[in-house]
Amino acid sequence: MLGGARISGSGAYLQAPELTVGGGLYLGRGFACTGMVNLYGASVGGSVALGDSTLAPHVPGRQALHLECAEIGGDIESVGGGLTVHGPVDLRDTSVRGSVVLRGARFHNPSDSGLALNAARLRVGGDLDLRGGLVAYGTIDLCDARVGGSVLLEGADLTAHDSQPALRGNGIETGGVLNLCDGFTAHGRISLNSVTVRSRLCFDDAALDVPAGGTALSCRGSSAATLSLHTREASAGIIDLRQSRFGMLRDDPAAWPAGLVLDGAVYDSVQPALPARTRLPWLGRDPAGFVPQPYEQLAATCQRQGQDAEARTVLVAKHRSMRPTLAPPARLWSLLQDATVGYGYRPMRAVVLLLGFLTLGTALFTAWPPTVVGDGKAPHFQAAIYTLDLLLPLVDLGQERSYAPDGALQWAAVVLIGTGWLLATTVAAGAGRVLRRT
């Protein structure tokens, strides 16, 4: 028990590697050390108490607390707050049967590059609790940590050195929630690639402070039951959710980030359930430009919820967004499909166009009937059937081969025939696209 002890002076250290303690280890109540506290490989049957202690090595960037590869039977805790550390804390490969509770701690690595807290591959049976106004200057590294309970950083304030991440947690697995919310602030990017969260990954009321165009949050290949992105304000940086999977994705249109990468992201539902036209700008924020998969994913989500009209709106928007990426001939063909049948998702447009041209042709050929072709007996002329015979390719109603228009009406017939072929082709292309999706 070293509560209240002070170890100071040049070359001062607490060297106790592979220490074995049957009960708890108490380094709180005003404990201070101006050198490294070396507990590498220690085995502590109870808890390690760090409340109201100060660790400040003489050499900037030198480890303040070396608790790597330790076995802790209870908790590592600083419940009463007051833990102040000027140098890296090393908890790599340490196993804690209880929880790690460092509420209100102050971590500061004065070195220009480096870690404030290195807890890579940390194994915790309970919670990893970094709430209570925890402040860190330097990276917090939680890569490949295994936490049976929850990872809690509500209200924490993290600041990175230069281009370093404020929080690096790639590969975390947690049985509860991963909360970076309720006042959480990160000055620097957050890297949470390939994480597994059994419950909620939450950024509600969080501030992600990075320069414009930088990555605010990288969450590639991750999974969570719920991802909540109600951030305090819209981030100027990019949120990258590539290849991730979420049961529910919650966000706030007022806080959509400047850049959003959704390529390969899969979700079962999205809230709030906005109209498709309102949600479309959300899909168009990928810095790489047009990517088709996010449109397909949102359309599939709408269909699962029975919103077929909304799904069609999204799919039409997908083709319109793709149009500028096409070669000029393909772009023209895309425009034609859009105007006529809405890429196959608006088939009634073709019917309306067909009826319009049928009405126009019927009126023209009623006023100026065509002449009979050949010496044979021609069927009785009917302007509507004659117009329909011109409009419908591969269909012979007996009128087109028996009558031929004169003068300027020849061009009207050519327009009707061409329109028929264009309508038939675009309808076939659109129908094929819809059938392939089905």
Side-chain angles (χ1 to χ4, degrees):
M1 184 169 182
L2 295 170
R6 294 182 179 275
I7 303 173
S8 61
S10 179
Y13 298 96
L14 174 59
Q15 292 283 4
E18 300 184 1
L19 172 71
T20 299
V21 179
L25 178 61
Y26 300 96
L27 301 175
R29 297 183 181 178
F31 173 84
C33 183
T34 56
M36 177 174 66
V37 176
N38 185 4
L39 298 172
Y40 174 86
S43 178
V44 180
S47 297
V48 176
L50 297 168
D52 197 27
S53 59
T54 302
L55 308 178
H58 286 298
V59 181
R62 186 72 178 268
Q63 284 182 334
L65 175 61
H66 191 193
L67 196 56
E68 182 183 358
C69 296
E71 296 284 340
I72 310 299
D75 303 326
I76 297 177
E77 55 89 10
S78 175
V79 176
L83 173 62
T84 302
V85 185
H86 297 278
V89 173
D90 194 343
L91 299 179
R92 285 176 296 169
D93 297 297
T94 288
S95 176
V96 181
R97 182 171 296 179
S99 297
V100 175
V101 183
L102 300 174
R103 295 179 189 169
R106 301 289 189 270
F107 296 102
H108 181 260
N109 184 352
S111 176
D112 289 338
S113 62
L115 302 172
L117 172 63
N118 189 351
R121 300 177 300 280
L122 174 69
R123 299 177 301 281
V124 181
D127 294 334
L128 177 56
D129 188 346
L130 305 178
R131 294 178 291 177
L134 178 141
V135 175
Y137 186 69
T139 299
I140 289 185
D141 191 337
L142 304 177
C143 287
D144 298 315
R146 300 292 180 265
V147 181
S150 297
V151 179
L152 307 170
L153 287 103
E154 292 99 318
D157 191 321
L158 313 183
T159 302
H161 289 288
D162 299 328
S163 61
Q164 299 296 316
L167 173 63
R168 183 165 56 226
N170 302 328
I172 288 178
E173 290 187 10
T174 174
V177 300
L178 176 49
N179 278 351
L180 295 91
C181 54
D182 297 339
F184 172 85
T185 302
H187 304 281
R189 76 179 184 276
I190 298 173
S191 183
L192 293 175
N193 300 317
S194 302
V195 305
T196 301
V197 181
R198 305 297 179 193
S199 183
R200 182 183 70 249
L201 174 55
C202 182
F203 292 88
D204 292 351
D205 192 37
L208 309 180
D209 179 22
V210 296
T215 298
L217 169 64
S218 180
C219 196
R220 292 176 289 177
S222 297
S223 64
T226 300
L227 171 64
S228 190
L229 283 169
H230 285 259
T231 54
R232 196 178 313 160
E233 56 188 18
S235 173
I238 299 166
I239 292 180
D240 188 347
L241 304 179
R242 275 177 285 183
Q243 306 303 323
S244 291
R245 183 174 188 91
F246 309 105
M248 179 185 295
L249 198 161
R250 300 177 62 245
D251 65 3
D252 180 2
W256 284 345
L260 179 64
V261 182
L262 291 168
D263 188 18
V266 176
Y267 45 86
D268 297 327
S269 63
V270 60
Q271 291 185 353
L274 302 172
R277 294 188 184 279
T278 304
R279 181 66 70 174
L280 289 176
W282 181 69
L283 300 176
R285 296 183 174 228
D286 194 319
F290 170 75
V291 180
Q293 189 274 341
Y295 291 86
E296 296 282 350
Q297 171 58 43
L298 181 58
T301 301
C302 291
Q303 284 185 319
R304 278 196 299 271
Q305 297 173 347
Q307 300 173 329
D308 291 341
E310 298 292 281
R312 289 193 293 270
T313 297
V314 174
L315 293 170
V316 169
K318 181 191 79 168
H319 290 284
R320 288 174 178 168
S321 299
M322 182 171 59
R323 187 186 303 152
T325 69
L326 303 175
R331 199 176 304 168
L332 181 61
W333 177 242
S334 173
L335 279 168
L336 182 61
Q337 290 191 77
D338 189 3
T340 53
V341 292
Y343 301 99
Y345 303 109
R346 302 282 189 264
M348 288 305 298
R349 286 186 184 177
V351 175
V352 171
L353 285 171
L354 182 64
L355 290 175
F357 280 102
L358 177 61
T359 302
L360 177 62
T362 301
L364 285 174
F365 295 121
T366 298
W368 298 282
T371 58
V372 177
V373 175
D375 299 329
K377 183 177 174 65
H380 177 69
F381 176 74
Q382 299 185 54
I385 296 178
Y386 180 71
T387 303
L388 202 58
D389 211 358
L390 295 174
L391 281 170
L392 299 179
L394 306 180
V395 174
D396 185 4
L397 300 178
Q399 295 275 313
E400 180 184 0
R401 54 188 168 85
S402 300
Y403 294 91
D406 297 322
L409 287 182
Q410 291 179 330
W411 290 107
V414 169
V415 169
L416 290 172
I417 292 170
T419 300
W421 275 104
L422 286 174
L423 282 174
T425 306
T426 52
V427 167
R433 185 179 295 109
V434 172
L435 289 174
R436 283 196 299 273
R437 278 187 52 81
T438 305

